[in-house]
Amino acid sequence: MATKGQYDEAARMIDEARRIVAFTGAGISVESGIPTFRGAEGLWSRYDPKILDLGYFFAHPRESWEAIREIFYDYMGANARPNAAHRFLARLEEAGSLIGVITQNIDNLHQEAGSRTVVEFHGTAWTLVCTECRDRTPFTEHDLSELPPRCTRCFGVLKPDFVFFGESIPPEAWRESERLLGEADLLIVVGTTGEVAPASMLPYQTRAPMIEINVEPSRYTADRTDLYLEDKATVAARELAKRLGIEL
Ligand code: APR
C-alpha cells in the first residue's frame, strides 16, 4: 500500500503539471468487473490467446467469435461501468491539466467516464469492421447470436475493431500517441504490466516524470517510474482526488 507521503508527493506533482498524459492498461478496468489478460485470474489463464490471433480468426471465425463474444460482449458490453479511476482522469481533463489518455483497453470506459481525448491504441470492441469491404458499424447493430456476424453490405465476415495478435497498430493511434507524449510534462501510468509491444514502449517516448499506479510492480517500476503508488486504481484515485479537491 502506498504511503500518505507518497500520495502527498503525487498530488503535488499533478497539481503543478499542465500537460498530463495518462497511459492505461487492463488494471484500470478490473474494478469495473473486466478481468486482466495476465496473472492467475487473467483471461489467458482461461482462454487460449490464439482466439485473438489474426490467422486463427480467418481460419476459424466461428470458434474465435464464440470465445470473443463470451469475453468481450456478453459481460463487458452489458454490465461494465466506469469506476473512480476512469472518472479521476476525466476530471483532470475537464480541469484542463490532462491533455489526453492513451489506452490499451478496448472497453470504451474512459469515454463513458467523460474523457474526450482518448487514443485507443489497440482499437475498440465497440465497432465491428468488415474483413472484406472495411465498413465499420457499432456492435449494437448486430445480432451476435449468429456467429460469425456478417456485413450487411457485402456479407463479409465481421471482426471486432480491435488489434489482434499479428495485426498492426492503427497509424492514427501511433501519430496521436507520439504527439501527446511529445507535449507531456507528467505521465500517469495505471494498471499495465508493460509487457506487450509496441504499446509497452510508449512510456519511453517522453522524458516527463512518471507516476505509476499498480497493485504490483511492472516492467516500468525499476527503471522508468519516478513515483510508484502500490494500490488499486480506485484507491489511488480517491486518495489523489481528496488531496486535489476533485469530486469523483
Ligand atoms: N488497480 C491497478 N492495477 C491493477 C489492478 C487494480 N485494481 N488489478 C490488476 N492490476 C494490474 C496488474 O498488476 C497488471 O500489472 O494491471 C496489470 C494488468 O496486466 P495485463 O493483464 O497484462 O494487461 P495489460 O498490461 O493492459 O495488457 C496489455 O495485452 O493481451 C494484450 O491487447 C491486450 O491490451 C492488452 C495488452
Side-chain angles (χ1 to χ4, degrees):
M1 191 162 155
T3 66
K4 184 183 168 310
Q6 288 176 315
Y7 279 120
D8 293 345
E9 174 60 10
R12 187 192 61 73
M13 291 167 74
I14 293 170
D15 198 36
E16 285 177 4
R18 290 292 164 269
R19 297 183 307 284
I20 302 169
V21 171
F23 177 56
T24 66
I28 198 172
S29 296
V30 164
E31 296 157 83
S32 295
I34 300 181
T36 58
F37 292 89
R38 289 161 197 85
E41 305 299 308
L43 285 167
W44 300 146
S45 69
R46 284 178 280 147
Y47 295 88
D48 185 331
K50 75 178 181 195
I51 57 154
L52 292 187
D53 174 86
L54 203 57
Y56 179 86
F57 177 84
F58 281 119
H60 310 280
R62 195 168 53 72
E63 291 82 358
S64 201
W65 256 109
E66 273 165 5
I68 289 170
R69 181 180 58 191
E70 210 171 285
I71 298 171
F72 299 109
Y73 295 98
D74 289 355
Y75 179 85
M76 185 170 74
N79 305 312
R81 291 288 166 273
N83 61 50
H86 297 105
R87 291 195 295 277
F88 177 66
L89 298 177
R91 296 291 173 282
L92 287 181
E93 187 180 16
E94 280 160 23
S97 58
L98 182 137
I99 58 173
V101 174
I102 304 168
T103 188
Q104 298 168 84
N105 302 343
I106 57 174
D107 56 30
N108 207 52
L109 292 181
H110 285 297
Q111 292 92 330
E112 285 182 40
S115 287
R116 291 181 308 252
T117 306
V118 180
V119 180
E120 296 173 309
F121 201 76
H122 289 155
T124 177
W126 241 242
T127 48
L128 304 184
V129 58
C130 175
T131 55
E132 303 292 331
C133 72
R134 309 306 296 168
D135 186 40
R136 284 180 162 78
T137 43
F139 84 93
T140 46
E141 286 183 10
H142 298 279
D143 168 8
L144 295 183
S145 62
E146 290 283 320
L147 296 179
R150 296 276 178 175
C151 176
T152 49
R153 286 195 341 179
C154 76
F155 206 65
V157 169
L158 295 177
K159 167 188 168 295
D161 199 11
F162 55 73
V163 177
F164 278 43
F165 296 120
E167 205 174 0
S168 52
I169 301 295
E172 182 54 24
W174 261 126
R175 265 195 300 279
E176 260 301 277
S177 299
E178 285 171 345
R179 179 185 70 77
L180 288 170
L181 291 165
E183 291 176 23
D185 64 357
L186 179 66
L187 183 61
I188 303 178
V189 173
V190 187
T192 183
T193 46
E195 284 182 15
V196 176
S200 56
M201 297 184 290
L202 292 174
Y204 299 100
Q205 306 243 343
T206 174
R207 292 172 186 281
M210 175 171 148
I211 296 173
E212 181 185 9
I213 298 168
N214 200 316
V215 290
E216 62 186 28
S218 72
R219 285 263 178 101
Y220 304 119
T221 313
D223 72 343
R224 175 66 180 90
T225 301
D226 298 287
L227 180 51
Y228 172 56
L229 302 174
E230 184 160 295
D231 251 324
K232 290 183 171 182
T234 61
V235 172
R238 291 200 173 88
E239 286 291 336
L240 294 168
K242 192 169 57 183
R243 286 165 172 78
L244 294 161
I246 292 174
E247 289 287 319
L248 291 180

